[in-house]
Amino acid sequence: MGTLPKRKDIPPWVKIPDDLKDPEVFQVQTQLLEPMFGVGGSRIPYIERVSKVMLELKVLESSGLAEVVVYGSYLYKLRAKWMLQSMAEWHRQRQERGMLKLEDAMKALHLGPWMK
């Protein structure tokens, strides 16, 4: 990724241009963005400040996925990427467990799939 981010409010702990080279990139399901980052990304400034990184979210069209781009020094961006991937997995499993509980409740009430 040779281009610099378009963001104008680069946090002071991100060194320009060194920390903007070679970002860490991973994908998450778009349905996990709000649980991870809050409504409208309200938790992003806190995550950036605590992790000493800069984040960019890019929703990929028609795939149901979003790219999370992590800028920062080598160790900080690797640690932030690991933490965010762990958060995404936790939220994914939590949603999956919620769906299984819903299915069990529907079976207990003898509701068939036609009533969904």
Side-chain angles (χ1 to χ4, degrees):
M1 299 196 82
T3 61
L4 296 178
K6 297 174 188 149
R7 203 171 137 169
K8 293 183 190 325
D9 60 334
I10 296 175
W13 50 83
V14 175
K15 296 179 186 88
I16 300 170
D18 296 338
D19 289 349
L20 300 177
K21 296 175 184 171
D22 301 320
E24 290 292 321
V25 180
F26 65 98
Q27 295 180 346
V28 297
Q29 298 170 342
T30 53
Q31 66 190 22
L32 299 177
L33 291 178
E34 190 171 311
M36 289 177 64
F37 298 110
V39 177
S42 61
R43 289 189 202 121
I44 290 176
Y46 175 77
I47 293 170
E48 288 180 333
R49 190 171 50 254
V50 170
S51 302
K52 296 191 187 313
V53 296
M54 183 175 81
L55 301 175
E56 277 191 339
L57 303 178
K58 299 175 184 178
V59 177
L60 303 176
E61 298 298 320
S62 71
S63 68
L65 295 173
E67 272 188 352
V68 179
V69 184
V70 184
Y71 297 95
S73 68
Y74 181 73
L75 289 177
Y76 286 140
K77 69 184 173 186
L78 286 179
R79 183 178 64 188
K81 177 183 175 185
W82 174 83
M83 186 241 343
L84 292 169
Q85 286 177 317
S86 298
M87 280 175 58
E89 181 62 16
W90 184 84
H91 283 291
R92 187 195 64 73
Q93 288 177 355
R94 185 171 182 252
Q95 285 183 351
E96 188 176 292
R97 283 191 306 270
M99 291 303 295
L100 292 174
K101 286 181 182 179
L102 178 62
E103 288 175 9
D104 290 344
M106 288 176 64
K107 287 176 189 174
L109 294 172
H110 303 292
L111 296 177
W114 62 90
M115 303 211 50
K116 287 183 183 176

